[in-house]
Amino acid sequence: MNIINKKNRLRSLIYGGIDGIITIFNLISGIEGAKMKSKIILILGLGTLIADATSMGFGDYLSIDAESKYRNNRKVVDGYKDINEDTEEKPIVNGLITFTSFVVFGMIPLASYILFNKFSKNGSYLKTYISTIMSLFLLGAIQSRFTHIPWYESGTYTSLYGMLASIISYYVAHLMSNINN
């Protein structure tokens, strides 16, 4: 496998994982912020997990496929010679990596919330928040192995991104639920 395929697969893994964690935790944050019943989290969480993973997988597949077709068309029209001409990209592989990564990493906040809610009624949202931030930090640290950015810097940046997104989700839902009551 050449460097372009590795880069695309790493991108798909990180992209799917970060989006899976943040999307599902934002759903949990919104439901918590609106003070809705916690059983809704399981129903909407699983539906969102599979639907968004499918969407993300198709999106990754289509974007890489379009890029590959563009490069091939450019070679024909412009006589452009790609230095990686022997590269055989498989957009379907990237789509499947994104889908799988979204589901696996997206299950972390969903499973955490369900388990914390079942076994300790108090503070299940806060505990899920902490486990989600830790998951994002870990994913950022894993990413650093390939980017040569210090693991703590990459982990911190990824965690902060997730924290910001979840705070926005929580407070927008909280605000909207107060307006509607």
Side-chain angles (χ1 to χ4, degrees):
M1 182 184 331
N2 68 29
I3 192 79
I4 289 178
N5 284 336
K6 286 180 184 176
K7 176 188 71 115
N8 283 342
R9 290 182 182 164
L10 173 64
R11 181 192 65 211
S12 296
L13 177 76
I14 299 297
Y15 179 55
I18 289 172
D19 204 53
I21 292 170
I22 291 174
T23 297
I24 299 304
F25 190 67
N26 285 345
L27 176 75
I28 293 168
S29 295
I31 292 170
E32 280 285 324
K35 304 293 184 217
M36 298 169 79
K37 293 181 181 181
S38 61
K39 72 178 184 178
I40 292 174
I41 289 173
L42 175 62
I43 297 164
L44 291 178
L46 287 174
T48 301
L49 183 72
I50 300 304
D52 280 10
T54 302
S55 175
M56 294 285 298
F58 276 124
D60 200 18
Y61 164 78
L62 291 172
S63 65
I64 292 172
D65 188 53
E67 182 182 342
S68 180
K69 287 176 181 172
Y70 170 77
R71 274 197 315 269
N72 289 336
N73 185 50
R74 187 171 164 202
K75 282 188 259 184
V76 170
V77 173
D78 298 338
Y80 169 74
K81 178 133 172 91
D82 191 345
I83 59 170
N84 296 305
E85 200 167 297
D86 61 338
T87 301
E88 185 180 326
E89 287 187 283
K90 294 184 175 62
I92 190 74
V93 172
N94 291 84
L96 290 171
I97 289 170
T98 300
F99 173 86
T100 304
S101 183
F102 190 102
V103 170
V104 168
F105 285 100
M107 279 301 296
I108 294 170
L110 185 59
S112 296
Y113 186 84
I114 291 166
L115 291 172
F116 289 138
N117 200 41
K118 181 176 174 92
F119 295 113
S120 67
K121 297 292 180 196
N122 296 328
S124 57
Y125 176 73
L126 178 60
K127 292 172 186 171
T128 303
Y129 185 82
I130 292 167
S131 71
T132 298
I133 297 307
M134 290 170 53
S135 302
L136 286 166
F137 186 89
L138 179 62
L139 194 56
I142 290 169
Q143 177 182 333
S144 76
R145 291 192 55 200
F146 303 97
T147 61
H148 304 295
I149 295 171
W151 63 270
Y152 53 87
E153 190 176 314
S154 184
T156 300
Y157 178 75
T158 305
S159 297
L160 289 173
Y161 168 64
M163 288 170 59
L164 176 63
S166 65
I167 288 168
I168 291 169
S169 177
Y170 182 91
Y171 283 107
V172 166
H174 184 72
L175 177 66
M176 295 306 294
S177 71
N178 287 337
I179 290 172
N180 288 327
N181 287 334

